[in-house]
Amino acid sequence: MLIDLTLCVDINDPIINKASSDRNSYMSRGHIGTHLDVYVPQPVPPVEYCERRGVLIDASAISHAEIGIEVLEGHDLREGDFLIVYAGWLEKHVYGSRDYFKDHPQFTWDLVNHLATRKLAFIGIDFAGMRRGDEHTPADKIIGEAGAYVIENMKNVDQLLGVSKGRGIRLLTGWTGFKGASGLSCRVVADVQH
């Protein structure tokens, strides 16, 4: 069973106008809809990252607090995995709205630093960033320096959670974008094994 986890933004959405008019915004650098953040050391993920084993963690019960390292307990997280942390945020708030970006869930610094040691491929979230405000980019850089990439604004993760219990998940990811941009548009599709 395939589930598309990609949030596509309509060209007429007001967020596109903001990205076009504000050259210094995150959005004008590719951070719109489902995208992956690229800072260091590679400007794009290695091609073998296109297909990864998925691990899905439900953190929706603690989505208004910081998501800590304890969320990993009981999960078989391996080198090269695509970790998805579900907070239920995209279902509760309209993408692009002030409420979506303000006070979204965030990882504790302990969790960010721990994930950097796990040699993952991707960390996917259904909210705007692992950390808020000025701490957003430094957190992404910690993950990037470890060879992993953060994918933000994933949708339909609730559907994936509903059908994946006890089943393997294979994640297929493709990306594109402007060379030199710090956000690359991507498409993420989950293949839930039968």
Side-chain angles (χ1 to χ4, degrees):
M1 168 188 291
L2 298 177
I3 300 174
D4 193 349
L5 304 176
T6 311
L7 172 66
C8 297
V9 179
D10 188 278
I11 193 70
N12 296 313
D13 191 294
I15 204 164
I16 299 295
N17 186 42
K18 177 169 177 37
S20 300
S21 62
D22 182 357
R23 291 279 195 214
N24 296 317
S25 72
Y26 272 115
M27 292 172 280
S28 68
R29 293 176 289 187
H31 299 258
I32 295 179
T34 301
H35 67 277
L36 61 92
D37 289 350
V38 289
Y39 293 103
V40 292
Q42 295 189 132
V44 295
V47 70
E48 59 269 18
Y49 281 21
C50 288
E51 184 177 343
R52 298 280 100 184
R53 175 181 172 270
V55 174
L56 175 59
I57 295 176
D58 183 359
S60 59
I62 54 173
S63 68
H64 289 288
E66 288 196 339
I67 299 169
I69 198 166
E70 64 278 357
V71 79
L72 301 177
E73 290 175 14
H75 293 279
D76 179 23
L77 193 58
R78 304 175 194 165
E79 183 175 328
D81 279 350
F82 188 139
L83 170 65
I84 299 174
V85 177
Y86 170 68
W89 196 250
L90 192 54
E91 285 103 55
K92 296 175 190 160
H93 303 280
V94 175
Y95 175 75
S97 69
R98 185 175 191 279
D99 287 342
Y100 182 79
F101 293 110
K102 182 180 185 267
D103 298 328
H104 63 74
Q106 63 179 358
F107 291 179
T108 63
W109 280 111
D110 284 345
L111 180 57
V112 171
N113 288 313
H114 177 77
L115 290 174
T117 69
R118 298 302 297 263
K119 299 184 180 178
L120 301 172
F122 295 113
I123 299 166
I125 54 179
D126 65 339
F127 45 97
M130 289 188 304
R131 296 290 299 173
R132 297 182 205 119
D134 292 342
E135 296 180 344
H136 181 129
T137 301
D140 285 347
K141 286 183 177 181
I142 289 169
I143 297 301
E145 288 168 357
Y149 300 84
V150 180
I151 297 183
E152 299 164 346
N153 310 316
M154 295 175 68
K155 76 171 199 172
N156 298 328
V157 183
D158 58 331
Q159 292 176 25
L160 178 60
L161 187 65
V163 300
S164 66
K165 302 265 191 260
R167 299 178 176 180
I169 304 169
R170 182 173 65 121
L171 288 156
L172 309 169
T173 307
W175 51 87
T176 187
F178 296 110
K179 192 173 184 178
S182 58
L184 301 180
S185 296
C186 63
R187 185 168 195 185
V188 181
V189 177
D191 182 8
V192 181
Q193 310 299 300
H194 296 284

